Amino acid sequence: MATAKVLAGARVVLPTGTVTDGRVIVDGSRIAGSAPADAAVLDLSGHWVVPGFVDMHNHGGGGASFTSGTVEDILKGIHTHRLHGTTTVVASFVTGEMDFLVQRAGLLSELAEQGELAGIHFEGPFISPCRKGAHDETLLRDPDPADVRKLIDAARGRAKMVTLATELPGGIDSVRLLAEHGVIAAIGHTDATYEQTVEAIDAGATVATHLFNAMPQLGHRAPGPIAALLEDERITVELINDGTHLHPAALELAFHHKGGEKVAFITDAMDAAGFGDGRYMLGPMEVEVKDSVARLVEGGSIAGSTLTLDRAFKRAATVDRLPVEDVVRAISANPARLLGIYDQVGSLEPGKNADLVVLDEEFDLKGVMRGGEWLVEPHLS
């Protein structure tokens, strides 16, 4: 039985551009440069083949929470997102007690070591009470470098990103600490001024956590963090493209300033992603999901999203009318580079993991492959 597969006839998005009537060769778990004579051929004419999606900010899905779920729950959440094309996922925590976060980091680092996760993202507790969003204010704390170090040590080399309100006491020193340890320092849930944001970028911050959300609005006399984050080429901005978190003009503004190379689409998904409306817990906070929009029961703040990246892709390509190549960069290549795993995932190149997504002409998901195995096998008419 042939182990190699040739996916033929599709529009294939490569780092160099889109190839019409292209082909992707899969041999075992990896993309290959040539096909053996007995390779099975799958005709994907009329479809797109793009790299598997990489989500660097995701709190859960399928009814499961990465912050508080069991190992079985976490694997269920990961699998839910894989079925929607996210073949690589970072597990994000919401704010919790330090000892709890340390314990959870140890648990999730084991899943990362097993290849189920690409790493851990701490979104809190080092954030501003003024911009707390769906985080428990009673558990917030200043970003003392000793506390930051405690969390990244607990993650055993699997900490990928920490979101900080860098204007708080210890914020700049914590940014420097993270940069020294190869962990992304992300500016978010912040009440910083323009000048304070520039200082944090100069100290080594490289990501804006869900740009526009949970930070001061852009002002003409007090431009705040948004202007600093948009103008600096060292910053990659996360965007939640679900039609709720961002007006299309805000997304267009981000791409206008950042181009296709410095935007990362994320889900910021919580338990309800891929699951449905109802009541959920986001850390210690109760959330109600209605019409696929998640809000805190107390106060009504938006509480993450129910987004999956296949929906973000379709919206970007159809509603926002972005070039497909830019969408692929934002949803695969750019986050893979930030996470330091672009040598393995994020593009369709020989030697990389055979992680890919098949979309039809309307950009609806039709197939998902991870490590050379179909998770969603295309059924073509």
Side-chain angles (χ1 to χ4, degrees):
M1 180 178 176
T3 59
K5 312 174 185 73
V6 178
L7 313 184
R11 282 172 282 190
V12 179
V13 182
L14 303 174
T16 52
T18 299
V19 177
T20 303
D21 194 20
R23 67 178 193 162
V24 178
I25 302 165
V26 176
D27 197 349
S29 64
R30 299 193 178 273
I31 297 171
S34 60
D38 64 344
V41 178
L42 177 63
D43 184 4
L44 291 175
S45 299
H47 291 75
W48 294 84
V49 175
V50 300
F53 308 147
V54 180
D55 193 355
M56 57 188 280
H57 186 158
N58 185 319
H59 298 279
S65 166
F66 295 153
T67 299
S68 58
T70 65
V71 170
E72 184 180 356
D73 291 336
I74 294 164
L75 292 173
K76 179 182 177 182
I78 294 167
H79 185 66
T80 295
H81 284 282
R82 286 177 181 168
L83 296 180
H84 289 274
T86 300
T87 50
T88 301
V89 64
V90 170
S92 300
F93 289 139
V94 293
T95 294
E97 295 279 4
M98 282 293 294
D99 289 346
F100 174 76
L101 292 175
V102 165
Q103 183 269 329
R104 296 297 296 181
L107 174 68
L108 266 69
S109 68
E110 294 179 13
L111 292 175
E113 288 160 10
Q114 295 165 16
E116 300 291 348
L117 293 169
I120 300 167
H121 164 219
F122 296 97
E123 187 183 22
F126 312 116
I127 62 176
S128 171
C130 302
R131 305 286 174 177
K132 64 183 184 296
H135 292 252
D136 185 345
E137 184 172 352
T138 66
L139 299 176
L140 301 182
R141 58 176 61 209
D142 291 339
D144 184 317
D147 286 339
V148 175
R149 178 65 185 268
K150 187 176 182 180
L151 290 186
I152 62 175
D153 284 350
R156 303 201 301 257
R158 301 294 175 170
K160 289 293 185 178
M161 184 163 65
V162 178
T163 295
L164 306 162
T166 53
E167 76 278 7
L168 297 176
I172 298 302
D173 287 340
S174 290
V175 169
R176 294 193 182 104
L177 172 72
L178 291 167
E180 288 168 4
H181 284 80
V183 180
I184 297 165
I187 300 172
H189 287 276
T190 176
D191 205 40
T193 64
Y194 172 88
E195 291 77 14
Q196 288 170 328
T197 306
V198 170
E199 183 184 8
I201 298 169
D202 287 340
T206 55
V207 166
T209 292
H210 45 53
L211 184 72
F212 301 111
N213 297 114
M215 60 184 64
Q217 296 180 5
L218 185 65
H220 62 292
R221 291 194 182 93
I226 292 173
L229 295 165
L230 281 176
E231 73 182 7
D232 198 299
E233 63 183 12
R234 293 170 289 183
I235 291 291
T236 298
V237 299
E238 295 181 346
L239 298 177
I240 308 170
N241 194 24
D242 62 353
T244 298
H245 282 78
L246 295 176
H247 189 283
L251 181 136
E252 184 178 358
L253 179 67
F255 271 90
H256 174 77
H257 282 273
K258 290 297 182 181
E261 301 297 331
K262 291 292 183 175
V263 173
F265 282 140
I266 61 164
T267 61
D268 194 17
M270 46 80 70
D271 311 17
F275 201 65
D277 289 357
R279 291 275 182 118
Y280 298 85
M281 298 301 295
L282 185 61
M285 311 291 280
E286 189 174 11
V287 174
E288 182 172 12
V289 178
K290 185 176 180 180
D291 298 328
S292 296
V293 177
R295 293 186 181 276
L296 289 183
V297 172
E298 295 290 334
S301 292
I302 293 177
S305 84
T306 63
L307 186 64
T308 51
L309 281 181
D310 57 333
R311 285 169 45 210
F313 193 114
K314 179 168 181 170
R315 181 177 177 86
T318 57
V319 176
D320 303 311
R321 298 190 179 280
L322 293 172
V324 174
E325 294 81 3
D326 281 349
V327 180
V328 167
R329 290 186 190 102
I331 215 163
S332 300
N334 297 344
R337 284 196 185 94
L338 281 166
L339 296 170
I341 54 175
Y342 188 65
D343 60 329
Q344 305 167 54
V345 299
S347 67
L348 300 175
E349 297 177 89
K352 292 193 175 186
N353 295 352
D355 296 353
L356 57 86
V357 176
V358 179
L359 305 168
D360 66 15
E361 292 181 333
E362 287 75 42
F363 300 102
D364 289 317
L365 184 143
K366 294 298 179 183
V368 180
M369 177 182 286
R370 185 176 188 270
E373 299 293 330
W374 289 112
L375 303 180
V376 178
E377 188 164 1
H379 294 287
L380 310 176
S381 56

